[in-house]
Amino acid sequence: TPDLVLIPGDLTKDGEKASHEWMAEQLARLTSAGIPVLVIPGNHDISNPSAYSYSGDQKTKVANISDAEFDQIYAAYIGATKDSESHSYVAEPLRGVTVLAIDGVHGNAGTGSLSDNTLQWLLAQADVAVAKGNLVIAMCHWQLIEHVDQQTMLLSSSQLANADSIAQLLTQHKVRLALTGHFHINGVTTKYYNTLNDSIVEVTTGSPVAYPCPYRWLEISADRSTVSVATGDIRALDTISDLHSYSRAWQQEHTANMAPDAARRAWNKVDTYMAQMENSSSVTMKAFVALLKKRIPQDDSTRVALFEKHMQQSMVDMYILHSDANEPERPEKDAIVDAFYTNLTNFMVEVLGEELLENLFGAAMVEMALNMLDTSVTSMTEDVTTGENPTYTNRTDDLYPVLKLNAPQPVEAVEQVKAESCQTTYDVLGRPVKESVRGQVSIRNNQKQVTK
């Protein structure tokens, strides 16, 4: 039985009021069993215009919820100390552990951002918790750090706006662990700034309603210096005996259906680079851009069709590989990577033609594009991120890691301990200690002690 359940957003499919009310009923089953629950909204949850009910292939518009209704429905599952400008809050659901709930949804339509006031409020709350000696866990729907190099360049909506600076500020305020969702993958990445101790680790978890239908168990060590992560998958439902195969097939179809939007994003980047080259003072460069414009299709349907022809299957295979996590251990990894580069080469040959590919500027442009993509592909498929400080290149088990957090030592919070027996030794979370280890902070006779 867990001591605490944390849900980092997207409590519903598209913010349907009936779905929120049903969700709150399910959470009440946990709290009635003595298991505390904390939630924050995701980008699907509030004022969503896509709230529908479904019957077969028919859909009907239904009521969504407002900010005020979210607070009302989930009043039992959010902290009492709240930010005045967002759904952010702070709570201490376990002795010695503070949850810093970061709402990036309030006041925007599907993207994640924080106001300066909310950010400062959150940092001040982190300082209060650290001063008590608490371990501070940040919980946010959007990712705060990149799990794949160049991730923000490829898909900016995966992260909170200004995520890098926010993550660094949280690290400076001694927040060592962040729990996130949104991107529907299982990933664990550490962002290093100056030293190994000057870092924040982020555990992002996929959705239990999308392949591979995961959930996480986190176990905090007695001295709060480490967190052990275990990952499980929901394998069956009452109506689906093999949820793993069912959800994988669904995810493959869904990802393929996302190809047109992916194609438009890719072509928009091409248009942006072409506009930059066209503004060059070089006559030769301008002539090259003119050739590009004659060669590159301008109508949307042709652009999308070309992308789907060459890149759709690789896009599906890459996403499934990334969803499975621990990519280097997957036997199909090398074949997927080889197919990606083959398909990409064929795509560029058909779009540009051999004449432009042999052009000096064309060759340079292709090399630049390949280098940018290679950075991301290598990072994803080798499960490694470099970040700002390559001295601490990070490669972490995405499914069963043991994370070092450099947690603060408890101070005033120790005085609040209520021991069932003065002769029993407890850790700072109030759990009886059977065997003490060196350096462990524990409590006996309501006094703090450190095992030497």
Side-chain angles (χ1 to χ4, degrees), residues 374-394:
D374 187 59
T375 297
S376 297
V377 170
T378 300
S379 176
M380 176 192 295
T381 58
E382 296 302 326
D383 202 9
V384 59
T385 52
T386 53
E388 295 179 0
N389 192 338
T391 304
Y392 306 120
T393 294
N394 175 61

Side-chain angles (χ1 to χ4, degrees), residues 90-131:
V90 63
E92 191 174 340
L94 302 174
R95 183 182 296 121
V97 175
T98 292
V99 174
L100 196 67
I102 303 174
D103 169 36
V105 180
H106 184 78
N108 56 71
T111 57
S113 62
L114 298 181
S115 70
D116 289 341
N117 288 342
T118 292
L119 177 58
Q120 293 307 314
W121 183 86
L122 288 163
L123 295 175
Q125 295 301 318
D127 290 343
V128 171
V130 171

Side-chain angles (χ1 to χ4, degrees), residues 352-372:
L352 297 178
E354 293 184 6
E355 180 184 354
L356 285 180
L357 286 173
E358 293 173 357
N359 180 288
L360 181 63
F361 288 117
M365 184 181 70
V366 169
E367 183 179 6
M368 179 183 70
L370 285 174
N371 285 340
M372 285 192 298

Side-chain angles (χ1 to χ4, degrees), residues 162-176:
N162 302 311
D164 288 341
S165 60
I166 291 171
Q168 185 167 14
L169 284 169
L170 289 171
T171 304
Q172 291 171 354
H173 288 258
K174 305 297 188 293
V175 179
R176 302 301 188 195

